[in-house]
Amino acid sequence: MSRVLLSFKSYSLAEREEKLEAEVTRELALSFYRKMVLARTLEDELKRRYESFEMRGELHLGRGQEAIPAGVCELLSDRDFVSATHRCIAHAVCKGLPLDGIIAELYGRASGVCRGKGGHMHLASSSKRFLATGIVGGGIPIAAGAALAFKTLGEDSVAVAFFGDGAANQGTFHESLNLASIYRLPVVFVLEDNQYAFSTRRSESTAVESNAIRALGYSMPALEVDGNDVIAVYTAAKWAVERARRGEGPSLLDCKTYRLSPHLEIVDTEEYRPEGEKEKWEKLDPVRRLEEQAVELKLASKEDFEQIKAEARKLVEEAFQRALSSPLPAPEEAFRDIFSGE
Amino acid sequence: MSRVLLSFKSYSLAEREEKLEAEVTRELALSFYRKMVLARTLEDELKRRYESFEMRGELHLGRGQEAIPAGVCELLSDRDFVSATHRCIAHAVCKGLPLDGIIAELYGRASGVCRGKGGHMHLASSSKRFLATGIVGGGIPIAAGAALAFKTLGEDSVAVAFFGDGAANQGTFHESLNLASIYRLPVVFVLEDNQYAFSTRRSESTAVESNAIRALGYSMPALEVDGNDVIAVYTAAKWAVERARRGEGPSLLDCKTYRLSPHLEIVDTEEYRPEGEKEKWEKLDPVRRLEEQAVELKLASKEDFEQIKAEARKLVEEAFQRALSSPLPAPEEAFRDIFSGE
Amino acid sequence: MPREIAMWEAINEAIRQEMERDSRIIVLGEDIGKMGGAFWCTQGLLEQFGSSRVIDTPISEAGFMGMAIGAALVGLRPIVELQFVDFFGVAWDQIYNHLAKLRYMSGGQFKLPVVIRAPIGGGYGDAAQHSQVLYSIFAHIPGLKVVAPSNPYDAKGLLISSIRCDDPVVFLEHKLLYGLFYLPPGSFGEVPEEPYELPLGEARIAAEGEDITIVGAAYTAYLAEKAADRLREQGVSAEVIDLRTLVPLDKHALRKSVEKTGRLLVVDEDYLPYGLTGEVIATIAEDAEAFKALKAPPARVGNPGVPVPFSEPLEKAVLPSEDKIVKEALKLVEA
Amino acid sequence: MPREIAMWEAINEAIRQEMERDSRIIVLGEDIGKMGGAFWCTQGLLEQFGSSRVIDTPISEAGFMGMAIGAALVGLRPIVELQFVDFFGVAWDQIYNHLAKLRYMSGGQFKLPVVIRAPIGGGYGDAAQHSQVLYSIFAHIPGLKVVAPSNPYDAKGLLISSIRCDDPVVFLEHKLLYGLFYLPPGSFGEVPEEPYELPLGEARIAAEGEDITIVGAAYTAYLAEKAADRLREQGVSAEVIDLRTLVPLDKHALRKSVEKTGRLLVVDEDYLPYGLTGEVIATIAEDAEAFKALKAPPARVGNPGVPVPFSEPLEKAVLPSEDKIVKEALKLVEA
Ligand SMILES: Cc1ncc(C[n+]2csc(CCOP(=O)(O)OP(=O)(O)O)c2C)c(N)n1
Ligand SMILES: Cc1ncc(C[n+]2csc(CCOP(=O)(O)OP(=O)(O)O)c2C)c(N)n1
Ligand SMILES: [Mg+2]
Ligand SMILES: [Mg+2]
């Protein structure tokens, strides 16, 4: 008999700190604020009307998560591509899709962004390069593909995939991050970790403390970001988007946040939430957070906020009016758009 | 304007060393040797006969990789479950499937382990709890599922998934490792990193130096293992299997090896290999390695090896005779076994 | 007094009773434990059977489908819930290349007693990725049985049979039949409290008639029954066949009915091309007796091959309805 | 002198010529670059067009299928190779919920000019997970065109049309037709050197005849042509329709032929239930003129619903063959 003592290589984690600087002008702060408040105002109004059964289908709102699309989309132009999820309304707003087109879509009207064919999980705009999908994890490789095209075509556009903590357990997450990394694609993976996938807690479905750790498996830089702090989101996204535009490849932003909305309106009883959890997060509301920060940094005042809120209410109201004056599509319309030239 | 300096949490890697001890008796060394030589002898003979078109379909052999199934299966009984891949012959041999049944299957005979229905990528045995699949990555969650059953039923069996470096880029790899970790399943993931998926180099398809790093994303312990050293494989597998049996959950063994066979016989021209690479690895042949180690550790001698080789030749020869005396199945047999009780 | 329950309750009861009977049965899927399922069907199971038998999964359909297969190979009898049938795509390889084939590929060594349950169907504005039926795809693959009940009584009996079956069964539940308050109309009916089996492969004659055979499954069987009532008022006697199972397909019942009526209308909510309607029509046409009996060309009503649109008038234009069935049946009878 | 080439060469040439014409075309898949494809069809492309347009991928079919979709959304025209059609399962969600539907769901905003190429078919001992045809599944999903050529001339023209098409096309190539030395018999034939298009949706009358219409696609069209030769020797004049595309389905050609012959035999290598044969028979049966013309019940030859077994006698028992076609055709004509 022989006793052998062997040594095997293994790996462990170390935490690092990444320090990033950003300049926040008054203009920028107000732009963040405008986006978040517009999304919030629209969603609040949609919720109210959905509860009186004005719209069909499901409705997934993202109250409390607005800082993420607002902070990221600040860095994007119409030439950049975004894939979003079932919870896509704030993202559509922040990417610049017209409010009335969004509303009309949710009402199934002919003037909807998808002419009534898509519905609320599937807002889309080719001119804004925006696409949402109702399949969890489905949009991740699609964003990588847009990035591949940008690289091949020599465009300096970037692609952004927004997706949830639940989606990070789908195979497409793994495959897409690997693909993006080996081809060094200009794509930013923005994980909205709101700690739940429907009723399922991240901590019970995800075998790792933070999805940022998973990026190591793709040699991809990643940051954990306070997703309720729009300035932090913007700062991290600036780093990620600029890297991508410079041809330095993909990155992952793991944005920690919390969904104050139910998973879907009306049906979800939210019994899965531990007592007091939601209340705690309500205090971290990103809209209020930005108000405090902007005042502290002397970038804006209470009056600015009131004005923007009033503007948002007006914009939303007018958009509803325009949207609801649009007719329902004619039944024959159902049979068009399956193939081109039909 | 305000300049903000923010700090983000991020992660980096650290290498560790894991020291493991094992006892290698003469009996054990000879058992390793017997398994490897039996697999090698069988595959050599299959290759020869396949080249004269005695068998149909494809043929994936694993010359040079035998230490992995041999070292791992040493720790398994018939009650333990194994899922293997398209390259499954050595695994079937090491898990104890009968040689003649394997051969008969490759010849499509009625006495084949799957009665001729499976073929060479799909060797299977319910009594040996062994299953191979031709879908890359397909067997990984299946092994996790067997482990789930063991846990639920209170059996102290373990499940082992063998798969390649190519499979580690499939979504099922990600999903299965996460699932196994959250449920703390008694499963060992054995990655056979032979550096190629068909013509595709691991380094060009996999965005990480070593797949062992990916295990961090599932809070799963992992070891890098010299996959051409059966003693190292055994030692690492002992650690992994015993952990699993003790209820301590899954682990990943990232076994570095090299395929000396073409991806598939006859068709693959192997032009994708850089010059001299294969020659280098031929020197690391695990069969010869074990001979050297066993002699050095004074566990066995040249005569032992010669004897075992002769035995293997005899076993294989006899198995061929038995297998080839079995008839082809009757055509009607094709229509049975789709559903039970038919 | 016999009790009336909703289809979701019948499904819930079937699972519960079977789990009480056989400890090898486990249930896994998204939100099926703590929350009791997106469509309520697994309510109370976690509390009763505990987290080793009622397993909330991450959103990893390929992963947990594969796990169900592995668990079945070594002795469990898993019931897997897909939250919507529309999501089968991410798990499809595990279903059609593994679950459906492993018994055959192993020469009959392995049993695969796995039930996949999934809600199907549209009609309530959930659009293209959450309104599909897709049963023709499952039915196309050898090795899968495919069940699609239209009412609580059938749902309970067929689900119990499916769970007891040693083969993989895809059990498809139409959302509009569940009887959930937010998804009308719902199917409610008398259901015995005790467990019972209904054979897989026997269609139900939902209405007897002489003039025309109308074939449907799940919600289209429900619609066909209502259409038959209206046709009766118009003097047309329609025989309604509720297939109940697509695999095995009850060819005998189909042929017998058409031999009597001489007219065939097949109704489907799934995409029409390369699907159920073609298979049923071919089943009739290729049979010498039934073929001879045909007095008019068989007809079909179904989604003509359109991703289900969101907007109500568009969705209505695409999906089958009582009206469309009545209209097509009248055309056929008058032809 | 006209040149004869193998089908794999015709495919290779079509891709090469289109890539020369249009720099937005990229090719991606496993082993398609350095190695030129498991079945040779992308030989030489990496050398000619470089690694930004000819992209070797990891084994991540869902991932690179999704990437093709994203790339198409913003202006590229990807050709994706699945190494075998059998592997579509892992990428299925991307194909049927995204590629097929995104144009429709977006109200026609997006174009999805993606070609999925994949080898199909059995008959050479590659068993259940590497011998499938599966085209009925693609054909069932709205938004996908489905092409399955039977010879080099059609392959080149149809592939060029597919690449130029602004919609997703699933282009399926039968392995036994490629003309590779290790996969006989192979289809060889005259193919013009210059690019040309063949319309998607037009069947080819592979043989004209009066007594019976035999319908096939890809390898079964090839077999049907051979069977027709043998039938002719036995005094039976068979018309052979090579569908060429399953979507669009050339209903007109089918009906016209059956109106002439009055007899229909549909041959398929795909699983028979809920598939091509049913769709073709229903297409005939539901048409008043064609129905009237039918002199006998239509018949079908196909894989009756069995995972393709490995062993030769078993595989032969399951798959269609010249013999089986001849036999069934004679039965039909004599009926
Ligand atoms: C493939 C797939 N599986 C399941 C679902 C059902 N579903 C829709 S949203 C959701 C939860 C998603 O969680 P997460 O990704 O964290 O996003 P969040 O809802 O929190 O924004 C689930 C399970 C789906 N749409 N697609
Ligand atoms: C899902 C799927 N994609 C592609 C293939 C084709 N294929 C068979 S083996 C193989 C390479 C596998 O590489 P790896 O996992 O490293 O295993 P190895 O062959 O090196 O043992 C490929 C691409 C397949 N069988 N299944
Ligand atoms: Mg979430
Ligand atoms: Mg490999």
Side-chain angles (χ1 to χ4, degrees), chain A residues 9 11 216-217 219, chain B residues 13 191 193 202 206-215 223-224 252 254 256:
Chain A
K9 193 157 145 194
Y11 297 88
L216 294 173
S219 309
Chain B
L13 277 179
L191 198 160
D193 181 356
R202 195 218 341 104
T206 307
V208 71
E209 198 49 46
S210 164
N211 271 300
I213 294 170
R214 291 182 167 172
L223 299 177
E224 278 182 31
L252 173 71
D254 185 8
K256 311 293 183 184

Side-chain angles (χ1 to χ4, degrees), chain C residues 11-88:
Chain C
I11 290 165
N12 180 263
E13 185 168 279
I15 302 173
R16 181 194 316 279
Q17 289 177 341
E18 286 302 287
M19 289 186 79
E20 284 168 352
R21 188 186 54 78
D22 186 343
S23 66
R24 296 168 303 171
I25 299 170
I26 62 168
V27 180
L28 59 175
E30 292 151 16
D31 307 297
I32 55 120
K34 243 178 336 195
M35 203 179 75
F39 298 101
W40 305 13
C41 295
T42 54
Q43 296 278 353
L45 299 180
L46 177 64
E47 291 74 4
Q48 186 173 348
F49 300 104
S51 64
S52 69
R53 293 184 62 199
V54 180
I55 304 172
D56 270 321
T57 64
I59 309 177
S60 308
E61 284 89 353
F64 66 75
M65 190 64 69
M67 282 183 58
I69 296 170
L73 290 174
V74 298
L76 293 186
R77 305 181 69 91
I79 303 175
V80 187
E81 178 175 308
L82 287 172
Q83 202 161 80
F84 285 70
V85 77
D86 310 69
F87 313 150
F88 90 113

Side-chain angles (χ1 to χ4, degrees), chain A residues 1-26 167-175 177-179 181-183 203-214 216-226 229 231-233 235-236 297 299, chain B residues 1-26 167-175 177-179 181-183 203-214 216-226 229 231-233 235-236 297 299:
Chain A
M1 197 199 73
S2 216
R3 206 177 291 273
V4 293
L5 180 66
L6 295 174
S7 141
F8 297 88
K9 193 157 145 194
S10 177
Y11 297 88
S12 64
L13 277 179
E15 289 188 13
R16 298 196 312 111
E17 247 192 359
E18 186 80 47
K19 284 211 180 342
L20 297 175
E21 220 184 29
E23 289 176 4
V24 184
T25 58
R26 169 175 163 81
N169 293 321
Q170 275 284 18
T172 49
F173 168 85
H174 175 67
E175 297 184 12
L177 268 69
N178 185 56
L179 286 159
S181 186
I182 59 171
Y183 303 131
S203 58
E204 284 167 19
S205 64
T206 307
V208 69
E209 197 50 45
S210 163
N211 271 300
I213 294 170
R214 291 183 167 171
L216 294 173
Y218 316 100
S219 309
M220 191 184 292
L223 300 177
E224 278 181 31
V225 182
D226 180 345
D229 174 353
I231 296 178
V233 172
T235 306
L297 297 170
L299 295 172
Chain B
M1 196 200 73
S2 216
R3 206 176 292 273
V4 292
L5 180 65
L6 295 174
S7 140
F8 297 88
K9 192 157 144 193
S10 177
Y11 297 89
S12 65
L13 277 179
E15 289 188 12
R16 298 194 312 111
E17 247 192 359
E18 186 81 47
K19 284 213 182 338
L20 297 175
E21 220 185 28
E23 289 176 4
V24 185
T25 58
R26 169 177 162 81
N169 293 320
Q170 275 284 17
T172 49
F173 168 85
H174 174 65
E175 297 184 10
L177 268 70
N178 185 56
L179 287 159
S181 185
I182 60 172
Y183 303 131
S203 57
E204 285 167 17
S205 63
T206 307
V208 71
E209 198 49 46
S210 164
N211 271 300
I213 294 170
R214 291 182 167 172
L216 293 173
Y218 316 100
S219 309
M220 190 183 292
L223 299 177
E224 278 182 31
V225 182
D226 179 346
D229 175 353
I231 295 177
V233 171
T235 306
L297 297 171
L299 296 172

